[in-house]
Amino acid sequence: MNTPKRYLITAALPYANGLKHIGHLAGAYLPADIYVRYLKAQQRDVVFVCGSDEHGTAIPIQATKEGTTAQAIIDKYHPIIEQNFKDLGIAFDIYHRTSDPLHHETASAFFKNLEAKGDLETKTSEQYFDEAANTFLADRYIKGTCPSCGHKEAYGDQCEKCGKTLSPEELINPVSTLSGQAPIKKETTHWYLPLNRHEDFLREWILKEHANDWRPAVVGQCKSWIDGGLQPRAVTRDLDWGIKVPVKGSEGKVLYVWFDAPIGYISATKQWALNNNKDWSPYWNDKDTKLVHFIGKDNIVFHCIIFPVMLKLNGHILPENVPANEFMNLEGDKMSTSRGWSIEMDDYINKWIKKENGGDGLADSLRFYLTSIAPESKDSEFTWKGFQESVNGELVSIFANFVNRTWVLMHKLCNGKVPPFHTELIAAEAVSDNATDSFKGMIDAVKESKERITHLLEQYKFREAQFELIDLARKGNQYMQKQEPWIVAKTLDQNPDAQKIIDNTMHCCLQLCANLAILAQPFIPFTAKKMCYMMKVVDKMLEWENAGKFDLLKVGYTLRAPELLFRKIENEEIEAELAQLQANVAAKKTTMENTTATTEPTKDNSLKPEIVFDDFGKIDLRVGTIIEAKKVEKADKLLELLVDLGFEQRTILSGIAMHFKPEEIVGKQVTIVANLAPRKMRGIESKGMILMAEDAAGKLYFVQPSEAIAAGSTIA
RNA sequence: GGCGAGGUAGCUCAGUUGGUUAGAGCACAGGAUUCAUAACCCUGAGGUCCCGGGUUCAAAUCCCGGUCUCGCUACCA
C-alpha cells in the first residue's frame, strides 16, 4: 500500500440547531479523531475539517417559534458545539461554519461552475405559494394533516409525529405557517442535479472498485439506491435563509442545504489554509490526497452518491473511504433529543468532566467506552452500567493499575529512577513460548501489538484496535506477576545481586508504560499527556515510530510520583444518571404538553378552515361493527376489515395493523365515514373510513358509542 | 411486500479464500497473591454457530427456503 502524500479527513457537519449527543460523537467525531491522531503521530500531512451546518429550513422555523432570529440560533449553538468537541478532545484543525462569507463564496462558485458546464438541469413545476406573504413556501413552511398518522401539525417534508417523509402535496389541508392561510399553487423554476446521468460511474466506482474495501453496509445501502434508479435532485429552494442562487433572475431562491453543506468541507479547508499560510488546493484536487469522510449511516446517500457526483463534476478528488457507523442506542431505546432520551455531550461535560472530582480523565473514560462499543458493524447500545464496567474493569483495573503499580514499585525498589538493565541476565533468560515470561518476549509483544493496532486503525477498526491496547497492558500485568519484584526484594538481604533482577523487571515495565502512552494517544489523548508528565518526557515521544522501542526512558532518569490516571465510577453515580434520564423524559413530556396548551393561538391557526353546517351535513357517519379482520398481504400497516352497517356489510381498509391484532378487534363497534368515495389500496377496494383517536403517545383508540347500539345507527 | 445489513457462550463481539477439539473480553465458580484504585495473576465451567434443506471427503463459512432484529422504501382516506 502506497502512503498518500496528504490526508483530508472530514467529520459530518453538525446541524447548528441544538446540542449534539454522544451518539453523534461515537458515530463520526470520535472515530475520525482517533484516525487523525494516529495519522499525525505518524507525521503524516493531514488536515481534519469540520464545522457547523447553519442553513436549512429548520433553523428559521425554530427561530420563529422561539421568537428570535436564525442568526441568533446559530450564533448560540455554534460556539457551544465547538467547545463541547474541544472538551472531549476532538481536535479539529478547523471548525468552520457555513454562514461564513468564505463558504458562501465557495458554494456559489461551485454552483456557477456546474451551471455553466451544463451539469445542472432546470425544471419548472407548481409549488405552494403564500399570497399574503408574497413568497413561495419551502416544505417546512407548510403544515397540514399528516396523511400517514393524522397528526395535524405535520410539516411539508416530514411528520415529526410518525417520522414519515412527506412532500407538501401529500398534506391534507395545507396551511402556510407564515400567514396561516391556505397556500395556492404557482409555477416556479428550480435547478436539479441529474444524478441519473451518473449511474454508470457510481456503479463502477462503488459497486466494483470499492466492493471490498468499503464497509458492507455502506456498499449495500448504495447498491440499494442505485438499483432503485437515481432521479434528478433539486439543488435550489424558494427560501431566504441560505446561500443565494448566484444566477440572474433567481431572487428568493437559495441553494438547497444538502448542496451547500458538504461544500462546507472545502470552504473549511480554505479557511484553514488561510489561517496557516498554506495552499488548500492540493487537498481537494491532487490525486495523491486521501480523502475520508466519517459519518453516521443516515448520511450515506449524501457522502457516497450525491457529493461524489458533485466533486467529480467540479474536478475534485473522490473519497477513498466513507466509514459510516451504524446507530448507538441508549438503555434499550433509540436516542432522541426531543424525547429527552439521550445524553448530550454538553450534559456529560458539565456533570462529569467539569465537576470537582472530574477532569480530563473522564473525557477519556467516555471516549474509551464509546470506542469499545463503537457501532462499526451493527447498532450498539450505550448503558450506564456498561460504562461503569468498562471503565472500572478495563481502563482502571488493567491499564491504569499497571501504570500505577509500576510507578509505585519503581519508587519503592529503584529510588524513583529508571533502573539500568543488565544484559547478561537477559541473555540468560530461559526460552519460552509465552511472551509474558521474559524481557525479550515483552519486547516482541509490544512490537506485535503496535503492528496489529496500526493495521486495525488503517482499516477503521477502532474498537478492535483499542482492545489490543488494553491487551498489551494486560500482558504487562502478567509479566510483572510472573517476575514478582516485591518478592525478589525480600531476598536482597542474602543476595544483593537480586537488585539486578528487580532492575530488569522494572526497566521493562517502565519502557512498556512509555509504549502504552504512544499507542494509547489516539484513543485517550488526555491520559497519554498525563503519562508524559509522569515520565517527564516531551510530547514528541508520542510519535508513532517510537512505539516498539525499549530505550524511550533513559536509565538513571528521575520520574515523578505516581498519579492515578482514572477514577472509578461509583454505583451511586450510575443510578443518578439513570434517574436523570427518566426525569428528562418526563420533563420533555410535560414541556411538550405545556407548549401545546400554552400556544392556543397557533393551534387555532392550524385548525382546518371553517366549514358551514351544510358541509358537515355532507358527511354520513355511521356506527358499524367489525365482523371480520385480517392483515392485508404485502402491507405492514393495513388491515382489511369487514364491517356490518346493518343494511349492508362492506370492506374497509385501515392503516392500524401496527396497533391492533386482527383477532382482538373483531366485534368492536366503530365510527365509519360511510359515504366516502371508494379507494383502492394494495389492489383491494376500501369503501369508507374508520375514525380513530390518537393520544400524545401515538396510541390509537376507536371512536365508538358509549354503549353498544344497533349497527348502522347514524351519527350527527 | 421490495432492497440493504445483521442473528455465534448469560452479555459485548472476533472468526480471513470452506479444513483438527468454534475463539476473546466481561460476568460467574474455584485457587493463588499483596507491589497496586479489594485492583492483579492462574484454573475452570459455559455454544443445536437462528431454523430447515442442499452442494462437498469436509459448512459458522457456499447455495436455496423460512424466521427474527435494525435501516431505507411501499402501503395508511
Side-chain angles (χ1 to χ4, degrees):
Chain A
M1 184 174 27
N2 296 342
T3 305
K5 241 192 199 135
R6 65 186 80 71
Y7 293 77
L8 184 76
I9 311 301
T10 76
L13 303 187
Y15 202 39
N17 68 336
L19 297 174
K20 299 298 140 187
H21 58 61
I22 57 170
H24 298 120
L25 180 63
Y29 308 102
L30 183 52
D33 185 65
I34 292 170
Y35 190 62
V36 167
R37 283 177 184 276
Y38 155 73
L39 291 176
K40 288 187 174 173
Q42 292 247 41
Q43 308 297 299
R44 309 274 179 85
D45 178 354
V46 41
V47 182
F48 184 19
V49 304
C50 191
S52 293
D53 174 8
E54 304 180 310
H55 297 135
T57 334
I59 289 176
I61 299 248
Q62 192 177 334
T64 315
K65 222 192 233 166
E66 293 175 9
T68 177
T69 63
Q71 191 66 43
I73 289 193
I74 62 174
D75 285 348
K76 173 181 169 191
Y77 287 112
H78 172 78
I80 297 178
I81 297 173
E82 182 175 22
Q83 186 60 43
N84 284 169
F85 283 134
K86 247 182 218 155
D87 289 339
L88 290 163
I90 309 295
F92 301 122
D93 288 302
I94 176 141
Y95 191 75
H96 204 230
R97 51 195 305 188
T98 61
S99 59
D100 191 280
L102 177 61
H103 173 67
H104 280 240
E105 224 171 80
T106 306
S108 292
F110 202 116
F111 177 90
K112 263 197 234 165
N113 185 36
L114 298 201
E115 216 272 328
K117 292 198 307 154
D119 289 328
L120 301 178
E121 292 172 349
T122 57
K123 246 197 281 187
T124 302
S125 63
E126 287 203 321
Q127 302 229 331
Y128 281 122
F129 184 85
D130 185 328
E131 287 181 297
N134 191 32
T135 178
F136 279 101
L137 294 166
D139 299 350
R140 279 257 147 182
Y141 279 109
I142 305 166
K143 268 189 183 178
T145 303
C146 173
S148 170
C149 68
H151 178 52
K152 287 208 178 111
E153 309 241 327
Y155 291 110
D157 59 345
Q158 193 183 34
C159 171
E160 301 205 324
K161 190 104 177 223
C162 64
K164 159 123 181 129
T165 312
L166 300 169
S167 73
E169 285 70 30
E170 294 174 81
L171 287 180
I172 302 160
N173 296 313
V175 169
S176 163
T177 59
L178 295 178
S179 65
Q181 292 183 5
I184 61 157
K185 291 235 176 171
K186 200 169 162 179
E187 283 203 334
T188 180
T189 302
H190 280 288
W191 282 263
Y192 286 74
L193 179 66
L195 290 171
N196 44 309
R197 290 188 201 166
H198 308 283
E199 228 177 275
D200 291 343
F201 150 69
L202 289 168
R203 213 174 271 285
E204 178 72 25
W205 178 59
I206 301 174
L207 304 183
K208 291 219 177 103
E209 286 176 38
H210 289 297
N212 295 315
D213 64 336
W214 285 15
R215 291 186 178 164
V218 174
V219 177
Q221 186 71 244
C222 291
K223 184 176 185 308
S224 180
W225 279 92
I226 296 170
D227 287 349
L230 297 169
Q231 302 298 321
R233 217 179 147 103
V235 171
T236 55
R237 300 253 89 186
D238 292 301
L239 189 72
D240 66 356
W241 178 249
I243 296 169
K244 306 270 176 268
V245 174
V247 174
K248 271 202 173 162
S250 60
E251 284 71 29
K253 292 181 199 301
V254 296
L255 301 182
Y256 210 156
V257 63
W258 64 258
F259 184 86
D260 102 69
I263 297 174
Y265 296 138
I266 301 177
S267 34
T269 312
K270 286 185 177 175
Q271 187 63 54
W272 166 84
L274 281 174
N275 298 350
N276 293 278
N277 202 18
K278 296 265 173 84
D279 181 10
W280 71 274
S281 161
Y283 289 91
W284 284 96
N285 298 320
D286 189 309
K287 289 216 160 38
D288 252 344
T289 302
K290 177 166 169 176
L291 170 64
V292 182
H293 297 306
F294 285 86
I295 56 169
K297 72 172 160 188
D298 50 335
N299 254 324
I300 289 176
V301 64
F302 293 109
H303 289 78
C304 298
I305 307 264
I306 299 175
F307 192 45
V309 166
M310 290 165 59
L311 286 173
K312 178 174 157 265
L313 290 173
N314 210 36
H316 299 299
I317 55 165
L318 298 174
E320 165 141 339
N321 206 327
V322 185
N325 270 342
E326 307 285 304
F327 290 149
M328 182 174 281
N329 296 324
L330 171 63
E331 303 284 354
D333 204 350
K334 277 173 214 172
M335 277 197 227
S336 150
T337 302
S338 59
R339 271 176 34 235
W341 195 258
S342 73
I343 303 164
E344 311 301 336
M345 297 194 293
D346 199 52
D347 283 347
Y348 181 88
I349 291 165
N350 288 327
K351 275 198 274 185
W352 293 83
I353 300 177
K354 296 208 165 149
K355 249 168 104 177
E356 257 175 48
N357 63 348
D360 294 346
L362 282 159
D364 278 351
S365 296
L366 180 65
R367 288 175 65 112
F368 179 82
Y369 178 53
L370 290 181
T371 299
S372 78
I373 57 165
E376 288 169 7
S377 58
K378 51 182 152 185
D379 289 357
S380 71
E381 176 130 338
F382 182 105
T383 63
W384 281 107
K385 190 85 196 135
F387 173 66
Q388 183 190 24
E389 281 171 2
S390 178
V391 170
N392 292 358
E394 290 188 299
L395 259 192
V396 176
S397 300
I398 309 284
F399 187 94
N401 181 43
F402 173 69
V403 175
N404 188 45
R405 66 201 294 216
T406 298
W407 244 251
V408 170
L409 278 175
M410 180 263 299
H411 276 90
K412 280 189 183 165
L413 306 178
C414 305
N415 296 318
K417 291 182 177 149
V418 180
F421 83 109
H422 308 275
T423 333
E424 67 275 17
L425 294 188
I426 292 167
E429 273 181 340
V431 182
S432 160
D433 287 345
N434 201 329
T436 59
D437 286 345
S438 67
F439 195 109
K440 279 182 282 191
M442 289 307 289
I443 296 181
D444 290 342
V446 169
K447 286 184 177 150
E448 278 163 29
S449 287
K450 177 193 180 182
E451 234 165 78
R452 274 198 294 271
I453 292 173
T454 304
H455 184 65
L456 289 166
L457 287 175
E458 294 280 357
Q459 294 181 300
Y460 314 103
K461 293 184 176 172
F462 304 107
R463 184 174 51 198
E464 222 180 311
Q466 187 180 255
F467 175 82
E468 288 291 340
L469 172 72
I470 293 300
D471 206 48
L472 182 58
R474 179 176 284 120
K475 287 199 171 87
N477 279 319
Q478 291 168 350
Y479 171 76
M480 190 188 279
Q481 202 70 30
K482 283 177 184 167
Q483 305 302 319
E484 350 182 68
W486 55 92
I487 302 281
V488 178
K490 291 180 183 165
T491 67
L492 278 172
D493 293 345
Q494 295 96 45
N495 176 21
D497 252 13
Q499 183 62 41
K500 288 188 177 177
I501 302 174
I502 296 172
D503 285 352
N504 275 11
T505 302
M506 295 318 298
H507 188 91
C508 180
C509 290
L510 284 166
Q511 301 295 356
L512 177 54
C513 284
N515 277 281
L516 284 173
I518 299 168
L519 298 172
Q521 189 274 141
F523 306 97
I524 44 176
F526 296 108
T527 306
K529 252 202 139 123
K530 232 178 269 175
M531 290 171 77
C532 285
Y533 175 80
M534 282 167 63
M535 293 184 285
K536 282 205 202 159
V537 295
V538 290
D539 289 357
K540 194 167 160 49
M541 193 212 75
L542 295 177
E543 287 175 9
W544 204 253
E545 61 167 8
N546 287 330
K549 293 183 185 168
F550 258 59
D551 56 357
L552 296 169
L553 301 177
K554 299 287 172 263
V555 171
Y557 207 66
T558 309
L559 306 184
R560 284 188 222 276
E563 209 174 288
L564 295 184
L565 294 175
F566 297 98
R567 72 167 177 83
K568 289 203 161 191
I569 309 296
E570 305 298 336
N571 287 335
E572 302 80 65
E573 296 180 279
I574 296 309
E575 280 152 23
E577 285 291 349
L578 287 169
Q580 183 66 51
L581 196 55
Q582 297 296 341
N584 284 351
V585 173
K588 284 279 180 187
K589 222 173 173 179
T590 37
T591 324
M592 266 155 87
E593 277 158 16
N594 285 344
T595 339
T596 23
T598 52
T599 53
E600 244 3 280
T602 47
K603 207 168 182 210
D604 282 348
N605 220 9
S606 69
L607 274 183
K608 295 177 189 176
E610 186 175 282
I611 57 169
V612 294
F613 183 78
D614 282 353
D615 291 331
F616 173 71
K618 291 177 188 164
I619 303 170
D620 197 333
L621 294 174
R622 299 291 179 120
V623 174
T625 306
I626 298 175
I627 49 181
E628 271 177 32
K630 62 180 174 189
K631 262 208 93 194
V632 176
E633 280 186 29
K634 302 185 185 182
D636 288 344
K637 297 185 186 171
L638 279 182
L639 284 188
E640 180 181 348
L641 310 173
L642 187 61
V643 180
D644 183 11
L645 285 179
F647 51 93
E648 68 168 278
Q649 298 183 349
R650 50 164 91 168
T651 300
I652 297 179
L653 297 186
S654 184
I656 55 174
M658 307 291 251
H659 297 84
F660 300 97
K661 286 183 183 151
E663 58 271 19
E664 66 189 28
I665 60 170
V666 171
K668 291 245 187 219
Q669 289 213 308
V670 293
T671 306
I672 307 289
V673 181
N675 61 337
L676 194 67
R679 159 121 177 189
K680 259 195 177 178
M681 285 179 278
R682 290 275 137 188
I684 303 166
E685 188 164 75
S686 175
K687 297 177 185 166
M689 170 178 166
I690 312 266
L691 298 188
M692 304 296 297
E694 185 181 10
D695 68 13
K699 195 179 166 193
L700 295 182
Y701 303 84
F702 288 107
V703 176
Q704 56 184 190
S706 53
E707 290 164 49
I709 59 173
S713 301
T714 56
I715 298 175

